[in-house]
Amino acid sequence: MNYIEENKLLSKRERGNDLEEDKLSNKRKRNHKEAKESVLQTGDIINLSHLLFTKDRDYLITCHHRNTNKLVKIKAKDLGDQTSIRRLERMFGIRDARHIGPLSFIIDPSGVVLQSHATPLLISYGAAAYPFTNERIKFLESEDSLLRTQPRSVEKLLSSPDRDYLINNKGNQVPLHNLDDKVVGLYFCPCLDGLRTTRKLEMVYHELSQKMEKFEIVLIYAHGWCEHEETCSLIDEDSFLHELKTMPWLALPFEDTNCIKKLQRLFQYPQGLDWPRPDARMVIIGPHGEFLEPLGTHILSTYGSPAYPFTLLSAVNLELERAKKVKPEMLWELDAVFTRSIGSHIRFSQFVGRKIIVLYETYETDKWVTTNTLRELKARYLEMKGTDDEFEVIHIFCDEKFSTRIKAPVPWLMHPPFDKNTFADKFMCSVFGNESGLLAFDADGSVVRVTAFPQFGDNRSFPFYHNGNMEDEVLLDVKEKIAGRLELVYGSDMRFDDYE
């Protein structure tokens, strides 16, 4: 290569380097300019024309298909204005739209940003929040606060300024004052398709109607919560009325969205704004607002019509009533034989008239039958042996092979599983379900303790309540049972306190 050719090659390389440097410089300038653009905040003033239009586009588009009443998906690349999209993303703080929920900003006609995080407001208040000023939001919040402090009058809760009625399955108006002396279930549901499978609720409703109990259900169709609305056929009033014809109860009118959203706020339905399709839930309100039970759905589904009026107290009374009916001789024949771990045998007839604790273990034993539990019970058993306060322990396993889990020998009686479909088997299943449990009988054969979560503490008096009494412990058990149902629906992070 001669000198001239070499210079030409160098000159070409230098020009290429200069171009690359120019590109990098321009990129830095763009990045610097973008960084200077701050995300919009409440109170900012912008030019709406500059925000929404460009020199090459003076129009917007709609994704709403009027013929089918469905949303039509339009890909971003089909809009043809990527520059505007990227600019809007920067202004509104959208860094990665794949990992965030919908963002809403409300801007008044003069360009003032009224709300920079408007999605929760739109979902919770809807049109009632118009004109979406802070003053309007504070007014609505004060109204909600006032309603929470007042007695839960069904008439006040369900009425609107221009409506004092509900509708029945024939579309007729039913005055709200008809509900004053009734137990009322406010049945929140996001998609009526799911109600067709709510046979338990319909069965209970008809049972109470036949008993002439003063009970009514009011359907509150919280429409707009389906993640994929096209999968829910009930997205308009005609469909709503058509489905209501198949139901025996009353309903809040479809079009009164302000009242629907008010009730959702007051009773925290659903628990989170980001839930695509929350589970149906019923809140129970007593006659004249005497009581409020937010766990009505779970009490009703667990205990059925006998739990009317579906309060925690009624559930506790059911559990106590069921437990107190049983006697030891209803579980075993007098000639039933028990075995101690040391190999000796004893018949049931030999300890009739003594205090008895029954330990009932299932495969869910890790719930409470821990080493500490057995150690504490063993200490009391040995301490009181041969005294006037002695008691016997009968340890029952749901499977004989399962008893091998006990590593250290225990001094009390062991018993094989109850035969299936016997009274004893059905009773234990009705009281404890698939869980383990403790059942204590006093010397007269009466039940003095029944729990799936026993604690002993320092109490040395039979049946060794850690704190409180039988009613208090059953109440805690009922809460735990319902909390288990809530966990299946809402996840393991759900706390019972969220509903109190």
Side-chain angles (χ1 to χ4, degrees):
M1 181 183 297
N2 58 37
Y3 177 77
I4 295 175
E5 291 175 339
E6 186 176 348
N7 279 341
K8 287 181 179 180
L9 180 59
L10 289 172
S11 178
K12 185 177 180 179
R13 288 176 177 170
E14 289 172 355
R15 287 197 302 272
N17 291 338
D18 289 342
L19 288 174
E20 290 297 325
E21 288 182 2
D22 289 342
K23 289 180 181 179
L24 289 173
S25 177
N26 290 334
K27 185 177 181 180
R28 292 191 189 99
K29 290 178 181 179
R30 286 197 304 272
N31 291 341
H32 180 68
K33 181 179 180 181
E34 292 176 2
K36 291 179 65 177
E37 294 185 39
S38 59
V39 177
L40 289 178
Q41 300 293 331
T42 301
D44 289 351
I45 301 176
I46 61 175
N47 187 308
L48 285 175
S49 295
H50 291 170
L51 176 67
L52 299 176
F53 305 108
T54 69
K55 64 179 181 179
D56 300 318
R57 176 180 52 77
D58 60 354
Y59 61 89
L60 300 173
I61 63 171
T62 178
C63 296
H64 196 269
H65 197 292
R66 300 186 182 184
N67 294 330
T68 62
N69 199 31
K70 290 184 178 180
L71 296 179
V72 179
K73 295 181 179 179
I74 304 296
K75 295 183 178 180
K77 62 182 180 64
D78 297 328
L79 301 180
D81 193 351
Q82 293 295 314
T83 301
S84 293
I85 292 174
R86 286 193 294 270
R87 180 164 56 86
L88 290 173
E89 287 177 348
R90 292 194 302 271
M91 292 185 67
F92 291 109
I94 302 175
R95 300 306 178 203
D96 189 347
R98 294 171 301 176
H99 301 295
I100 60 174
L103 294 179
S104 302
F105 288 71
I106 296 179
I107 304 170
D108 75 2
S110 63
V112 177
V113 178
L114 299 177
Q115 303 294 337
S116 59
H117 299 284
T119 300
L121 296 178
L122 295 172
I123 292 176
S124 298
Y125 294 97
Y130 181 83
F132 307 105
T133 60
N134 288 334
E135 290 73 16
R136 177 61 179 172
I137 302 304
K138 289 179 180 178
F139 171 76
L140 294 174
E141 289 176 345
S142 65
E143 280 194 329
D144 288 352
S145 179
L146 184 61
L147 279 173
R148 290 190 182 98
T149 58
Q150 293 177 341
R152 300 304 202 282
S153 165
V154 171
E155 189 168 357
K156 287 184 179 180
L157 286 172
L158 301 183
S159 64
S160 294
D162 55 351
R163 180 184 53 76
D164 60 356
Y165 61 87
L166 300 170
I167 57 174
N168 60 19
N169 55 9
K170 296 181 180 179
N172 299 327
Q173 297 181 3
V174 177
L176 275 167
H177 62 75
N178 288 3
L179 304 181
D180 284 348
D181 61 344
K182 294 183 178 181
V183 174
V184 178
L186 305 183
Y187 192 33
F188 293 88
C189 189
C191 185
L192 298 188
D193 284 349
L195 283 185
R196 291 186 174 182
T197 61
T198 316
R199 299 308 175 198
K200 177 90 172 183
L201 181 58
E202 291 182 358
M203 180 179 67
V204 170
Y205 185 85
H206 288 304
E207 286 177 358
L208 293 176
S209 296
Q210 292 174 0
K211 294 178 181 178
M212 304 299 290
E213 297 285 5
K214 293 184 176 181
F215 178 63
E216 188 56 77
I217 292 176
V218 178
L219 173 66
I220 300 169
Y221 178 30
H223 45 87
W225 280 99
C226 278
E227 183 180 27
H228 306 291
E229 284 286 358
E230 63 270 19
T231 65
C232 292
S233 60
L234 307 170
I235 58 175
D236 56 40
E237 187 171 9
D238 290 339
S239 299
F240 168 78
L241 294 174
H242 175 75
E243 191 67 18
L244 183 61
K245 291 179 181 179
T246 67
M247 304 175 190
W249 38 70
L250 306 177
L252 202 66
F254 176 92
E255 71 276 5
D256 197 346
T257 56
N258 285 342
C259 185
I260 291 172
K261 289 183 178 297
K262 174 189 70 177
L263 293 169
Q264 288 183 253
R265 296 193 305 272
L266 291 176
F267 297 108
Q268 299 178 20
Y269 179 84
Q271 287 294 113
L273 296 177
D274 57 344
W275 291 10
R277 186 173 177 176
D279 193 68
R281 178 155 62 92
M282 186 163 64
V283 175
I284 301 292
I285 300 179
H288 308 287
E290 293 172 0
F291 62 82
L292 172 71
E293 180 51 71
L295 294 165
T297 313
H298 308 284
I299 295 173
L300 185 150
S301 60
T302 302
Y303 298 97
S305 60
Y308 176 82
F310 311 114
T311 63
L312 280 174
L313 180 59
S314 63
V316 168
N317 289 335
L318 274 180
E319 294 281 4
L320 290 171
E321 180 182 348
R322 177 168 52 188
K324 289 180 178 180
K325 287 180 179 179
V326 73
K327 301 291 182 182
E329 54 270 24
M330 297 169 67
L331 302 179
W332 297 283
E333 300 289 342
L334 290 177
D335 59 353
V337 176
F338 299 85
T339 305
R340 296 191 189 276
S341 59
I342 58 177
S344 61
H345 302 280
I346 183 173
R347 292 186 181 277
F348 176 66
S349 57
Q350 293 179 252
F351 53 86
V352 170
R354 295 165 59 181
K355 299 174 182 177
I356 301 172
I357 284 183
V358 178
L359 285 179
Y360 181 73
E361 274 199 76
T362 69
Y363 290 106
E364 298 291 332
T365 186
D366 288 341
K367 284 282 187 177
W368 62 266
V369 186
T370 63
T371 303
N372 288 337
T373 303
L374 296 175
R375 184 186 299 117
E376 290 173 354
L377 182 58
K378 183 178 178 180
R380 285 162 179 72
Y381 180 83
L382 296 176
E383 178 184 338
M384 297 181 178
K385 197 69 174 176
T387 71
D388 293 338
D389 296 321
E390 72 174 354
F391 61 95
E392 192 54 77
V393 175
I394 302 175
H395 205 147
I396 305 173
F397 292 93
C398 64
D399 191 312
E400 289 187 79
K401 296 179 181 178
F402 194 51
S403 63
T404 58
R405 189 191 66 82
I406 301 294
K407 303 300 182 183
V410 291
W412 47 66
L413 304 173
M414 309 298 289
H415 189 274
F418 290 119
D419 292 335
K420 294 296 183 183
N421 296 322
T422 60
F423 172 83
D425 177 63
K426 291 179 180 179
F427 173 77
M428 289 300 183
C429 289
S430 67
V431 173
F432 300 118
N434 294 323
E435 306 289 344
S436 300
L438 180 146
L439 186 65
F441 295 97
D442 211 343
D444 62 0
S446 61
V447 173
V448 290
R449 189 174 186 184
V450 54
T451 178
F453 306 92
Q455 298 183 51
F456 297 105
D458 296 327
N459 194 332
R460 289 295 190 272
S461 299
F462 185 88
F464 316 113
Y465 282 110
H466 173 56
N467 188 15
N469 51 38
M470 188 172 177
E471 288 75 13
D472 293 335
E473 194 169 60
V474 170
L475 174 60
L476 293 176
D477 274 22
V478 170
K479 287 186 175 183
E480 289 289 347
K481 186 180 295 187
I482 293 175
R485 298 183 66 90
L486 293 175
E487 183 174 324
L488 289 176
V489 176
Y490 300 112
S492 59
D493 59 342
M494 179 59 61
R495 302 190 316 274
F496 189 87
D497 292 343
D498 293 336
Y499 284 83
E500 294 186 311

